[in-house]
Amino acid sequence: MEENTYPQKLLAEMLGTAMLVFIGVGSVPATLIIGGEAPFTMADLGMISLAFATVVIALVYAIGHISGCQINPAITLALAVTKKMPWRNVPGYIAAQVAGAVLGSLAIVGVLGREAVDVGLGIASFGAQTSTGQGFFAEAVGTFILAFVVFGAIDRRSAGGFAGLAIGLAVFAIIIPIAPATAAAINPARVIGPMVTGQVFGAQIHWDQLPVYVIAEIAGAVAAGFLYAFLNTHRSKTAPAEVPAQPAPAAEGVLS
């Protein structure tokens, strides 16, 4: 089977992450702009979750065969520590993903204008109602679930052709309970890209929260990778000892 070149994979990861941020993160300011002064509702959260889910599904089928459609540094690191991708490819993948997230954030401003920055640009953060420990736990759990589904979906024994749907639906489901606490970033690139762009355009950035997001997400993804690897460990089967062939007994009455 022919494999794409490393630069092609990096470009695919950059474009994929840019699209993820533009559509997924971009749905947050779009919802707030359209809603105006109206209170944020569960229906709004559902539409944002759907935006993230559908773009993930589309991207898995669009670039999964090129780069693996990791589009998430936490997933990339989890794959590397479980020996599913070489470490030499990790720095390039992560750099491409972060660059893509910045490009996607800039595209949000380009399409929605300054108003997108004024309503927060979809930057992930947690307020006073969420403690640092609670935020860490929320992001770790959310990313753990995402990574666990990813590992299961790409297993060669899983049902073929459904990886994109499984991962996308997992993203949709994870966002619902996690978003009220931390905005459900579950992706370091998705955190960094909007923060960098927001800083450029003068948005309020809680840089002190960045390590909480990044460390929690990486920890959650790596833990999921190791757990799935443990569950996927098979016992070696000992071949049964050969029994010398015996002549078949004569059927009664045939040779007598």
Side-chain angles (χ1 to χ4, degrees):
M1 182 189 227
E2 293 184 359
E3 187 175 352
N4 292 87
T5 65
Y6 186 54
Q8 287 174 324
K9 293 178 180 180
L10 297 185
L11 181 58
E13 284 294 303
M14 184 177 71
L15 292 174
T17 313
M19 294 176 194
L20 170 69
V21 170
F22 175 66
I23 295 175
V25 177
S27 68
V28 178
T31 299
L32 296 174
I33 290 170
I34 292 173
E37 298 298 323
F40 191 82
T41 67
M42 178 58 81
D44 295 325
L45 178 58
M47 291 306 297
I48 291 168
S49 302
L50 184 61
F52 272 102
T54 51
V55 71
V56 167
I57 292 171
L59 288 171
V60 168
Y61 296 118
I63 64 171
H65 54 284
I66 298 174
S67 66
C69 190
Q70 297 171 26
I71 58 176
N72 185 332
I75 298 296
T76 296
L77 288 168
L79 290 169
V81 299
T82 54
K83 301 180 180 179
K84 291 188 178 297
M85 75 174 289
W87 277 104
R88 67 178 180 274
N89 291 350
V90 170
Y93 263 63
I94 293 178
Q97 291 157 358
V98 173
V102 173
L103 290 176
S105 302
L106 289 171
I108 295 171
V109 179
V111 171
L112 297 178
R114 177 73 199 189
E115 197 172 1
V117 180
D118 295 339
V119 296
L121 196 61
I123 296 169
S125 65
F126 49 90
Q129 74 280 5
T130 301
S131 67
T132 299
Q134 185 182 354
F136 184 97
F137 185 71
E139 285 296 311
V141 169
T143 316
F144 176 92
I145 297 171
L146 172 62
F148 193 80
V149 172
V150 168
F151 274 83
I154 65 175
D155 192 311
R156 59 183 176 80
R157 297 173 301 163
S158 66
F162 291 97
L165 188 60
I167 297 168
L169 289 176
V171 169
F172 180 91
I174 292 164
I175 290 174
I176 299 298
I178 304 296
T182 62
I186 58 176
N187 182 335
R190 176 259 182 269
V191 178
I192 296 170
M195 279 187 167
V196 171
T197 301
Q199 183 71 53
V200 170
F201 287 93
Q204 182 180 8
I205 311 297
H206 298 282
W207 287 107
D208 58 310
Q209 295 181 1
L210 179 60
V212 177
Y213 279 96
V214 173
I215 296 172
E217 290 156 1
I218 291 173
V222 170
F226 279 127
L227 178 59
Y228 191 84
F230 172 75
L231 294 176
N232 207 27
T233 301
H234 311 293
R235 291 188 304 170
S236 58
K237 295 181 179 179
T238 306
E242 288 190 9
V243 178
Q246 300 292 333
E252 185 177 355
V254 173
L255 298 178
S256 55

